[in-house]
Amino acid sequence: MAHRIPWIIKYRPRKVEDVVDQDQAKKILIPWIEEWASNRIPSKRAVLLWGPPGVGKTSLVEALARTYGFEVVELNASDFRRKQDVERIVGVAATRRSLFKKGYIILLDEVDGIAGREDYGGVEAINRIIDYTKNPIVMTANDPWNDKLRSLRMKVSMIQFRPLGKRDVMSVLKKICSIEKLFCEDQALSYIVDKAEGDLRAAINDLQNVGEGYGKVTFDLVVNLVRERYKSIDIFKTLTRIFYARYGWVAKNAVSNSEVDYETVMAWINDNMPRKLGDPRDLYRGFDSLSRADVMLSRAKFKTAWELLSYVFDYLGPGIAFARKYGPVKKERFGYPEKIKLMGRSKEVRGTRERLARLVGQKIHESRRKVKSEVLPYLTVIFRYSQEPSIPARLAIELELEDKMIDFLAGGRSKEIKETMESLRYGTEAGEKSQQKLTGKASTGESKRRPGRRRKPSKDTRFKPLF
Ligand SMILES: Nc1ncnc2c1ncn2[C@@H]1O[C@H](COP(=O)(O)OP(=O)(O)O)[C@@H](O)[C@H]1O
Ligand SMILES: [Mg+2]
């Protein structure tokens, strides 16, 4: 393959004039940036660029920055999920002066990506930062109408981006054909333009796939190869296209257009390869390719050498597709990778651990970090190994632990401890009184005491305050 860099990167607009169409958006954005550039603060400190993918939202921001001499601090959805990260990165950038440039443009790309998640803190934090930022904040979104973005929408000026006109898409494709010295039939280009529906990213990708694969772009080729738009395809389609690919580029496209990130694609391939490749020699080649992809991806990230991504696509796409040589594709169904299941579970556990650390920290006036490193280990030992279940049970009552926290601390012993807590709570008057004294709460009396639950605890499990 002659070219390794995806053309959408190679032909990224450098200057504002390179961004085709979108005149409406430019009309609002340019004066806004000029105001910042002359050290004034416009009435809206943030803008939200919204519209379908592949129409120049991100490109225009980067081009503006270059034209007006701003540095871009770019974050995308995975970076600004957590409130702390937003405050740490965006908050700092919002008030910092750039040493050599006019200032920073803070680009929060695809903010609708955070709206769907449970961690809502990110949006709130952005909201607060907009009030005091000394640098322009630009957000982009495909769909800005999510309810969770409502408060943001009020604070920003909303700038709509529309699907690109066919003529503009065509002109960019033609320019690329001539720079690449690629033979392109007009009719073929028209076909690509029609299929792209105003999405220039999709059009350029199609052009590259055909052009690089066949050395020319003719109508016959295009009609056969550009059947549908390879946009954002889900993981099952991605896998199907990789494992059943008859052409290398189909597999490669499947990877580069997958809606999940490359690490996730790798986890899925890793677990599903044995389900699909029967012959051990095929498996060997498949895993070999997968590990090379892994190496390339970490190099690409570590050195921010994104041109290496193309190798990642090659190893994950055609590399896996053509690993199969000796055996047919097995019929077995794709399954969820263990690693992702585990991460899901451990995320929940981490959440519990964090909440527990906060709770204990509040009671004993210590930081969460200290609690995690110096208190939780002892609590775990007490909950798991103390001879008397009443000791952890009393601790759990005093600290008002949630069930999940008790499970976390006690592991297999959690049921025993919860039962002991029950009998401490409902067992004796003495128990209630001392608990009252301890938590300073008035007893809720009969309502809390369930009839028939009165169990007489053995003497030594009776509630005694610990501290
Ligand atoms: N209006 C445009 N003018 C020139 N190139 C564009 C335009 N829109 C998209 N592109 C091309 O498509 C690629 C993706 O565009 P991008 O700005 O990232 O889209 P968005 O952020 O709207 O999804 C760019 O690298 C560029 O090559
Ligand atoms: Mg974008």
Side-chain angles (χ1 to χ4, degrees), residues 8 11-13 18-20 52-59 164 200-201 204:
I8 50 164
Y11 295 104
R12 253 211 133 95
D18 299 337
V19 178
V20 299
V55 298
K57 297 184 296 297
T58 310
S59 305
L164 294 168
L200 188 47
R201 183 192 281 115
I204 295 177

Side-chain angles (χ1 to χ4, degrees), residues 306-428:
W306 295 112
E307 62 274 13
L308 295 179
L309 266 188
S310 184
Y311 294 97
V312 177
F313 302 155
D314 283 336
Y315 284 126
L316 288 183
I320 302 291
F322 298 138
R324 176 170 49 83
K325 185 170 165 195
Y326 297 99
V329 194
K330 289 203 288 176
K331 286 261 176 337
E332 218 173 307
R333 293 202 345 195
F334 293 119
Y336 233 86
E338 280 308 311
K339 184 174 163 198
I340 291 177
K341 278 196 230 158
L342 273 178
M343 282 186 335
R345 245 177 276 149
S346 69
K347 194 169 159 202
E348 192 187 317
V349 171
R350 275 201 304 276
T352 308
R353 182 160 172 259
E354 286 296 318
R355 272 182 287 123
L356 177 62
R358 186 175 335 128
L359 186 78
V360 175
Q362 279 162 359
K363 303 256 175 190
I364 65 172
H365 304 289
E366 270 301 350
S367 72
R368 242 190 293 173
R369 216 177 94 215
K370 197 142 191 184
V371 170
K372 274 192 275 186
S373 68
E374 294 176 20
V375 180
L376 293 193
Y378 291 105
L379 276 182
T380 311
V381 171
I382 295 170
F383 272 69
R384 292 187 188 203
Y385 305 108
S386 68
Q387 282 196 326
E388 255 316 318
S390 67
I391 295 174
R394 274 182 281 157
L395 273 168
I397 293 175
E398 272 174 49
L399 294 168
E400 298 174 54
L401 299 187
E402 298 164 16
D403 277 1
K404 277 211 183 119
M405 298 176 179
I406 300 172
D407 298 340
F408 171 81
L409 287 170
R413 208 187 181 195
S414 133
K415 190 158 166 257
E416 183 190 359
I417 292 173
K418 285 179 196 163
E419 279 168 5
T420 313
M421 286 167 70
E422 284 276 291
S423 67
L424 285 174
R425 277 198 177 116
Y426 304 113
T428 60

Side-chain angles (χ1 to χ4, degrees), residues 74-90:
E74 183 175 342
L75 281 87
N76 39 40
S78 56
D79 308 320
F80 50 72
R81 259 186 327 208
R82 292 182 344 142
K83 191 168 140 238
Q84 298 97 298
D85 294 341
V86 173
E87 278 161 358
R88 188 167 50 83
I89 306 171
V90 186

